[in-house]
Amino acid sequence: MPDLANTSAATVLGRCDELATHTSLPDGLIERVYLSPQHAAVNALAAGWMRGAGMNTWQDAAGNQCGRLEGATPGLPALLLGSHLDTVPSAGRYDGILGVLGAIAVVERINAGGRRLPFALEVVAFGDEEGTRFGTALLGSRALAGTWLDAWWELTDEAGTTLRAAFLAFGLDPAAITSAARTSNDFVGYLEAHIEQGPVLEENDQPLGIVSSIAGARRFQITITGKAGHSGTPWTHRRDALAGASEAIVAIERLARDADLIATVGHLAVFPDAVNVIAGRAEFSLDLRGRFDTDRDMAWQQIEALLEEICATRGLHVAVDQTHTAPAAHCSDRLRGVIAAGIGAAGTRADGAPAAGPAPLELLSMAGHDAMAVAHLTEIGMLFVRCAGGVSHHPDESVTEADVAQALDAFEAAVLALADTHGDEAPA
Ligand code: GLV
Ligand code: MN
Ligand code: MN
């Protein structure tokens, strides 16, 4: 009998704790960005766990850590399972990470079970989903999806290091980036498990949910320029960039609320940043998301007009740089179905009867996921796991062992449900 201790929720959570120690921040805070020494360290750990689960491993040309377990015959297209190992600043320990480590545990269970599937299983630990270091998100998954843009090579981090230089420092060859790209023929689909990052499951007393679609997002860097000067300057002669930015930020929030969109200004920098000097320049980020790309794009046009109007009134200048755009992505009917089947199987009582309870919830994800990029190649499905208070992108991110145990059972059952029906129906 194989030892399945490695595939328990306790082990997966212990591994999440271990990865959390690979951080660039002191005092137990977590930050792990793309192409950093911490990225290399967690790739090495994940690779070891993948091999322990029976997979062959490799790091691809974008720094994504990959593993593969062959199916009934070598070389079959794969069901890709994955998520990301990078984090935001002051992150929690489960966003992305739980999905990767859960996928490795599920592959180990299936391998130990001895059933050979009509497809291979691959696990990918994406190196960049958050976009923390270079501003543009989904770099790892976009490399795999073959949607990498050459313009990204000149993106810089806060220290002025270009993406190209960071590749070289990590031991990667920028000229080889296209070899990270996979094709539609490589895959039968993509499944991602992820914490919900919202309150809906908790409010409905359900541990697991099915993602229906993922909201499209656009990110911008907005620079407002006025004139720095003495804080004693009279009102008639002031061109205060921070006052203009503040008016714009509040107006953006109002506009987004009215349009049923989500807008976040999470970064603001002021120059020269002194108590007795009028701000000559203010830079802020904007992250704009919505269920429908058309609504989001229409709101952005209104925001642009609003920025121009506010700045014209205040004698300021505004410049806008779009740093990221990702269209909304829909989870296929087929993979929504296998996730539902997986949740149902995980809720089955010991006597085989379905546990009493409501049908699993379908949720729109306002958070972005690697699945959005992979959708360019193959159909996607996602399983959400309840997280305490819906809190994420924060050290307080938390899940229970019981929920993770159910999630692992459901994810495994979803893979097996797909194997049962694979070839019976065309992708939705
Ligand atoms: C990633 O977590 C995002 O939604 O931006
Ligand atoms: Mn995140
Ligand atoms: Mn994530």
Side-chain angles (χ1 to χ4, degrees):
M1 201 47 197
D3 174 7
L4 289 180
N6 280 346
T7 69
S8 69
T11 296
V12 168
L13 291 174
R15 288 175 175 179
C16 290
D17 292 343
E18 185 171 352
L19 294 197
T21 65
H22 294 276
T23 170
S24 57
L25 298 181
D27 304 325
L29 292 173
I30 305 168
E31 178 176 89
R32 195 168 48 248
V33 300
Y34 190 37
L35 305 175
S36 61
Q38 295 77 29
H39 174 184
V42 296
N43 272 8
L45 280 167
W49 293 328
M50 287 174 177
R51 285 191 288 272
M55 289 181 261
N56 292 325
T57 62
W58 68 97
Q59 183 179 269
D60 76 10
N64 300 312
Q65 180 59 50
C66 308
R68 178 176 169 101
L69 177 73
E70 294 296 346
T73 55
L76 289 171
L79 175 64
L80 184 63
L81 313 174
S83 197
H84 60 98
L85 295 182
D86 66 314
T87 77
V88 295
S90 293
R93 57 188 58 200
Y94 305 111
D95 170 3
I97 295 123
L98 183 66
V100 173
L101 302 185
I104 295 171
V106 162
V107 171
E108 185 160 353
R109 285 184 186 191
I110 291 171
N111 189 31
R115 176 168 169 195
R116 287 294 167 257
L117 307 185
F119 40 74
L121 290 175
E122 289 193 19
V123 176
V124 56
F126 289 114
D128 176 81
E129 186 275 342
E130 304 286 5
T132 305
R133 182 167 180 188
F134 292 102
T136 292
L138 301 167
L139 290 174
S141 36
R142 285 184 162 172
L144 178 136
T147 52
W148 186 273
L149 297 180
D150 277 342
W152 293 340
W153 290 120
E154 302 316 317
L155 292 171
T156 51
D157 66 9
E158 267 183 4
T161 305
T162 62
L163 181 55
R164 180 186 301 281
F167 257 61
L168 293 168
F170 197 77
L172 297 171
D173 176 7
I177 188 66
T178 50
S179 70
R182 307 290 296 273
T183 70
S184 298
N185 292 337
D186 289 337
F187 299 121
V188 301
Y190 173 77
L191 293 180
E192 179 167 354
H194 204 285
I195 56 168
E196 181 200 342
Q197 307 181 285
V200 179
L201 290 174
E202 193 174 71
E203 284 170 6
N204 286 274
D205 199 22
Q206 296 209 33
L208 306 175
I210 307 161
V211 177
S212 53
S213 62
I214 308 168
R218 291 174 72 176
R219 294 183 187 171
F220 304 90
Q221 180 72 16
I222 298 165
T223 304
I224 294 187
T225 311
K227 182 131 184 73
H230 197 287
S231 59
T233 304
W235 293 115
T236 46
H237 288 68
R238 297 166 80 101
R239 291 166 53 212
D240 185 333
L242 179 56
S246 306
E247 187 179 339
I249 291 166
V250 174
I252 288 168
E253 186 186 53
R254 193 176 309 120
L255 191 149
R257 271 177 191 272
D258 290 349
D260 198 19
L261 298 163
I262 298 287
T264 303
V265 174
H267 167 78
L268 173 67
V270 178
F271 303 90
D273 196 16
V275 67
N276 58 350
V277 183
I278 297 165
R281 181 159 53 96
E283 295 175 357
F284 61 98
S285 60
L286 171 64
D287 175 311
L288 186 64
R289 300 171 186 226
R291 177 188 293 259
F292 302 110
D293 294 343
T294 42
D295 293 354
R296 180 202 61 186
D297 294 345
M298 204 186 303
W300 169 245
Q301 282 179 7
Q302 290 168 351
I303 290 170
E304 268 192 306
L306 204 102
L307 286 166
E308 291 291 350
E309 192 186 310
I310 290 169
C311 289
T313 308
R314 290 175 168 272
L316 305 169
H317 175 262
V318 60
V320 169
D321 182 22
Q322 177 169 281
T323 55
H324 169 70
T325 178
H330 299 280
C331 296
S332 74
D333 289 349
R334 179 166 79 142
L335 295 186
R336 281 154 74 163
V338 302
I339 297 277
I343 294 175
T348 302
R349 298 192 324 230
D351 63 4
L361 285 174
E362 291 225 341
L363 297 96
L364 163 72
S365 175
M366 289 309 292
H369 299 289
D370 295 297
M372 301 167 90
V374 182
H376 183 77
L377 279 186
T378 188
E379 59 179 309
I380 59 166
M382 288 193 71
L383 171 74
F384 265 176
V385 186
R386 170 168 58 188
C387 60
V391 172
S392 182
H393 286 188
H394 190 278
D396 287 349
E397 222 171 57
S398 154
V399 290
T400 68
E401 189 176 325
D403 285 359
V404 172
Q406 278 217 44
L408 293 174
D409 288 350
F411 208 60
E412 178 187 7
V415 173
L416 297 178
L418 185 66
D420 287 342
T421 58
H422 185 62
D424 293 355
E425 54 178 318

